[in-house]
Amino acid sequence: LAMRPEIILALVGLAILLLNFLLEKRYKYLNAVTTLIGLGFSGVALGWFWRFASTHPGWLPYLGFDGRFTLDTFAIFLKLIIVVSTAIVVLISVKYLEIEEAHYGEYYALLLFAAVGMMLLASGTDLIVLFLGLEVMALCEYVLTGFLRGNRRSNEAAVKFFLLGAFSSGILLYGMSLLYGISGSTKIGVISMALENRPAGDPLSWVAMVTLLAGLLFKVAAVPFHQWTPDVYEGAPTSITAFISVAPKIASFAILVRLLLGGLQPMHAQWQHLLIGVAIATSGAPQSTAAAQPGSTPSWTQTKTPWGDPDLQGVWRYEAAIPLERPARFEGRESLTDEEVKESQRLEDEQARHC
């Protein structure tokens, strides 16, 4: 019962993979409709949990799977945000995928599977559950980042994201293995009790805490683990950039809260100082380095757009630092057909996004 929202999204994601084969190209939008229906049912289930908890105060927190899955108000609230943000991304993806000619059902299935992983992060109170949820979310993100297979920037961003993400997952898993070695259990509550019995300044506990934080800070793009963010945000499809910048960050902060205020609570004096320094650096360092990049300042210029179109001569438009290229087959031509005008506008918009 407590995992009803996750089960609904997983089943709808599997159904979309089957439905996609049965739909003609003009009916591909039904994949998005099915996704929204699944998200709606999942949101209704979460709303029922919230209402039931308000009328039955002793029902929450609910512990399942021998304490490895926890449903409390914190988890319900975060899951509602994840469902809403995923639904918004689905709405803005329909037209975008039509323009990019990449309207495939796998796109929506991956969004739902990523949402399932995020929900596990919100409710997980066991290292194995948290790691599985994190990897389900991350693997879907890698594929969605490179979803535009014909776009070199998208492919490059996906490869960078995958390599750096795998490296950070290895560091995170190393920290989790140290915590398991210290406590003999993967449950967060048992780990907390084991750390309380460790001597102050225990080097093994310190290494476990630092490696665990390093892996998690990569997921939230905190300094100094933020280098992947510009390449991924620029190369990924626009709708996926919106998705990665919101929903996975919420889930990553959820696992941070679960681990820091749960398993690593006995070491709060140590990790508080580390997080304060990281927060200060994250607030200023990325903005300072971005402002110092040469050629990054766009401007408003008066230009002729599109190429040779007499009706739009002298229109003011926003131009990036990198000039747009005119397709070679349009050179030397004063007028274009309607199809060529649409194609040139599409190429111009695509180049503008990549500038």
Side-chain angles (χ1 to χ4, degrees), residues 162-179:
F162 171 73
L163 294 177
L164 293 175
F167 180 71
S168 69
S169 296
I171 296 177
L172 176 65
L173 192 59
Y174 182 71
M176 289 183 172
S177 65
L178 291 178
L179 291 178

Side-chain angles (χ1 to χ4, degrees), residues 295-317:
S296 61
T297 305
S299 60
W300 287 92
T301 57
Q302 192 174 21
T303 184
K304 299 179 179 180
T305 59
W307 303 290
D309 191 338
D311 296 331
L312 296 177
Q313 299 297 334
V315 174
W316 288 86
R317 75 170 183 183

Side-chain angles (χ1 to χ4, degrees), residues 18-166:
L18 178 61
L19 179 65
N20 184 58
F21 287 103
L22 305 177
L23 294 177
E24 298 180 6
K25 185 175 181 180
R26 58 179 177 174
Y27 296 122
K28 292 295 184 181
Y29 69 91
L30 292 178
N31 289 320
V33 174
T34 306
T35 304
L36 292 174
I37 292 174
L39 290 169
F41 278 111
S42 181
V44 169
L46 290 170
W48 183 87
F49 288 156
W50 191 282
R51 183 177 180 181
F52 187 81
S54 63
T55 57
H56 298 76
W59 185 64
L60 293 180
Y62 172 83
L63 301 179
F65 301 98
D66 194 24
R68 291 176 171 84
F69 182 90
T70 301
L71 184 67
D72 50 14
T73 53
F74 173 76
I76 295 175
F77 177 71
L78 292 183
K79 289 180 182 181
L80 284 172
I81 297 178
I82 291 170
V83 168
V84 172
S85 60
T86 305
I88 294 175
V89 171
V90 171
L91 290 174
I92 66 177
S93 297
V94 177
K95 187 62 177 179
Y96 178 81
L97 293 179
E98 289 181 359
I99 295 174
E100 296 292 344
E101 298 180 353
H103 214 156
Y104 304 113
E106 294 85 351
Y107 177 91
Y108 301 104
L110 288 170
L111 283 177
L112 292 181
F113 294 150
V116 171
M118 297 174 206
M119 289 184 173
L120 290 178
L121 291 179
S123 290
T125 48
D126 184 272
L127 295 182
I128 296 177
V129 175
L130 291 174
F131 185 75
L132 287 177
L134 190 67
E135 288 306 297
V136 169
M137 176 190 74
L139 290 174
C140 294
E141 288 178 8
Y142 303 152
V143 179
L144 289 170
T145 300
F147 199 79
L148 301 180
R149 291 171 290 182
N151 190 312
R152 294 180 60 184
R153 286 177 178 264
S154 181
N155 297 336
E156 178 185 354
V159 172
K160 290 181 178 179
F161 197 11
F162 171 73
L163 294 177
L164 293 175

